[in-house]
Amino acid sequence: MAPKPKAKATSATTAAISIEDLFANLNRHIQRSEYEQAVKVSDQLLAAAPGDEDAIRCKVVALVKADCIDEALAAIKKASVDLSFFKAYCLYRQNKLAEALQSLKGKEGSTESMLLESQILYRLGKMGASVDIYQMLPKSTIDSLEINLVAGLVSAGRTSEVQGTLDSLRVKATSSFELAYNTACSLIEREQYKEAEQLLLIGQETLMEENLADDDVEIELAPIAVQIAYVQQILGNTQEAVASYTDLIKRNFADESSLAVAVNNLIAIKGPKDVSDGLRKLDKLIEKSDGPEKFQLARGLDLKLSQKQREAIYTNRVLLLLHSNKMDQARELVGALPGIFPGSLMPVLLQAAVHVRENKAAKAEEILGQYADKFPDRSKVILLSRAQVAAAAGHPQIAADSLAKIPDIQHKPATVATIVSLKERAGDIDGADAVFDSAVKWWSNAMTEDNKLNTIMQEAAAFKLRHGRKEEAAHLYEQLVKSHGSIEALVGLIQTAAYGDIEKAEAYEKQLKPLPGLKAIDVDSLEKTSGAKNTEKGPNGGATETYEAKSKDKAKKKRKRKPKYPKGFDPTNPGPPPDPERWLPKRERSSYRPKRKDKRAAQIRGSQGAVAKEAASSSDTKSNQPANPKGASQNAGTVQSKGSSKSSRKKLRK
């Protein structure tokens, strides 16, 4: 029994040495990026030293690096230490963003947690909050902070802050191809396409100068190539853009996200010209899922594309389904979009498009109206769409009411003209008049450089005059004459005042400048004349009469020539008139008579016995034949009769 304690001491020493060796092996595998081997060594360490915190962390990190996210989450749940940051990252990788954000609570102070939180918010579409966290991060401790910061600003719609951010960080946009690409995206959002194209080309050259493998260069060049093609597409160089997209798709060197964007943009350029090819390509990008959302993008594109890009792919597929009249598939996909893009306008617009395609415009108007009432702060595009649908469906009052609910554009001249026209079509003259009155009042109080009061008042006065509201029209014209001195307004004022106040009209008429060339005309004597004769004349009056007189004189001077007759024809004794049917075919003339058939062809010649045999054989044949159609029996008889007539003619000739 004495050796037992010694044996225990020896095994403890061996275990201690083996743990050190295992950690050394683990470190070596991690440095060589051999993550699967690192996981195995971590399991050996945990078997030798259960609950070792370093071994658990190394195993979780190795599983994450090996893209074994489910196994990493299982290891985190079994661990006895706090690994909430790693759990949040794994949930972020699984696109469970709300759970990931919840797991980060209480860990917001560290730099790693702030970076992860900003990425989660970016993926959730909360770009402003993501950028705010980036701006709070210490700039000296994070490499390439400016790249993610500029990307966040672009996605948040704050492109005007990009150049100021680069200046504050003392970084040039051409310092790296990633930063050049992100800065070019901000220029595209600001519609500075030429500058964006130049910056993308510079970023392309910067990437080529870096020491990367050819395959890596091709992969990194793909996003830049797609963005250059997009700029060409926007600038109207469609052929160059199509060639770039097609070449990128054929080479298949691009990453999945760039390839998906290229396919989508190429389909957008072609439109409904090749619906089947577009649907076939989009079928490779969208697939059905077993989850609650029913549809998802293939190959993990949901994690790689922004919400705007994913919306474009789903929208194009719905539109192609509508063009191909596949209504069941379109309804199924549109029904799933509110769960995929909660809070987005696009699912509502697509749902209305499906109803319009099904000739259910009233249903589309109802859906759009309900959404606009529920979310008035996001209703501008919805109301514009509702107005378009209603106007196309012949519902002008609904279209006018929809436009009137948009305060941003309500008093613009184009909107006022559209609402007035729609109300006129609906027969609401009072409502149209109220729109003009409201617009005149708004522009009278507007403190803008480009004031449209003159235009609005001119159109309002013409409208009132057209609908018999002469006093109001005269008041507007008089204001225009006093404030702007408009000749058109003065003419309108004279025309309006002439209906009721002749003296006032004559007083304003004196302000009109005399027309050139009318000084020699005495208006009083012209009024006393009887006026022009009511004769058939052209639109130019006397000019046409003079022209007709000249043409008559010319007609009188023409010399009549004697007609030429054929030789031997005496015009005094022309003889009988020619046959009026001489040019018709003989069969169509009234004098035509068809030739009579030769009755002798039916006579039978020969001995009497031979005739009896032929008659008997023919009667037997007819009785055995089945009943043929009428046309068939007639055709057979015709052939037979022709043959008998020929034979009879030969015998007669002999």
Side-chain angles (χ1 to χ4, degrees), residues 206-520:
T206 305
L207 178 61
M208 297 295 292
E209 294 174 358
E210 296 189 5
N211 296 325
L212 296 174
D214 293 340
D215 293 343
D216 294 337
V217 170
E218 288 285 346
I219 294 173
E220 295 292 345
L221 278 175
I224 300 177
V226 172
Q227 203 71 314
I228 292 175
Y230 174 74
V231 172
Q232 292 173 343
Q233 177 182 348
I234 295 297
L235 292 176
N237 303 324
T238 308
Q239 294 182 352
E240 291 84 351
V242 169
S244 300
Y245 289 138
T246 306
D247 180 64
L248 193 70
I249 294 170
K250 285 182 178 179
R251 286 189 300 165
N252 202 18
F253 275 113
D255 59 311
E256 297 290 346
S257 57
S258 300
L259 195 62
V261 172
V263 168
N264 180 78
N265 291 357
L266 184 60
I267 291 171
I269 290 177
K270 292 183 178 180
K273 296 178 182 178
D274 195 353
V275 176
S276 58
D277 181 63
L279 283 175
R280 186 170 58 253
K281 289 178 179 178
L282 287 179
D283 284 339
K284 298 178 181 179
L285 299 179
I286 301 175
E287 61 185 13
K288 289 189 175 182
S289 66
D290 298 330
E293 296 176 354
K294 294 184 181 180
F295 290 93
Q296 64 181 10
L297 295 182
R299 300 185 294 276
L301 289 172
D302 285 317
L303 304 177
K304 301 175 183 177
L305 297 177
S306 66
Q307 179 176 340
K308 187 177 180 181
Q309 292 170 332
R310 290 185 287 123
E311 272 189 3
I313 293 174
Y314 281 105
T315 301
N316 284 338
R317 175 162 175 76
V318 172
L319 295 178
L320 289 179
L321 289 172
L322 293 179
H323 280 296
S324 60
N325 207 25
K326 297 181 179 180
M327 304 306 299
D328 293 337
Q329 298 182 32
R331 278 193 295 268
E332 183 183 10
L333 183 56
V334 167
L337 290 182
I340 301 174
F341 304 108
S344 175
L345 302 178
M346 192 56 65
V348 184
L349 296 174
L350 292 176
Q351 190 176 1
V354 171
H355 287 303
V356 171
R357 183 69 174 177
E358 294 175 336
N359 295 325
K360 299 178 181 178
K363 185 66 175 177
E365 295 167 10
E366 180 184 355
I367 291 172
L368 294 173
Q370 289 176 354
Y371 188 91
D373 295 338
K374 189 176 181 180
F375 303 101
D377 55 331
R378 293 180 290 174
S379 62
K380 183 176 180 179
V381 177
I382 298 294
L383 290 172
L384 287 172
S385 303
R386 185 170 183 253
Q388 182 180 2
V389 171
H395 305 150
Q397 190 63 47
I398 297 176
D401 293 341
S402 299
L403 291 176
K405 292 180 180 179
I406 308 175
D408 298 344
I409 63 172
Q410 190 172 359
H411 300 295
K412 291 186 176 181
T415 309
V416 172
T418 305
I419 295 176
V420 168
S421 176
L422 290 169
K423 286 186 175 292
E424 277 188 300
R425 285 172 55 188
D428 187 8
I429 305 302
D430 293 336
D433 189 49
V435 171
F436 268 127
D437 292 342
S438 176
V440 169
K441 183 178 180 181
W442 191 88
W443 284 106
S444 300
N445 300 324
M447 304 297 292
T448 58
E449 296 180 359
D450 187 18
N451 199 303
K452 301 294 183 181
L453 180 61
N454 187 9
T455 304
I456 296 293
M457 290 180 68
Q458 187 77 33
E459 294 298 326
F463 173 83
K464 292 176 183 295
L465 179 61
R466 188 166 64 249
H467 290 282
R469 308 187 179 192
K470 301 179 182 61
E471 294 182 1
E472 299 178 15
H475 178 67
L476 289 175
Y477 279 133
E478 193 170 5
Q479 285 184 342
L480 283 170
V481 170
K482 291 179 179 179
S483 59
H484 298 86
S486 172
I487 299 297
E488 295 179 358
L490 182 59
V491 172
L493 178 58
I494 296 170
Q495 182 182 1
T496 308
Y499 285 102
D501 193 347
I502 303 298
E503 296 180 356
K504 186 177 182 180
E506 290 178 349
Y508 279 109
E509 184 267 337
K510 294 178 181 179
Q511 298 181 16
L512 290 174
K513 296 180 180 179
L515 294 175
L518 296 179
K519 293 182 178 180

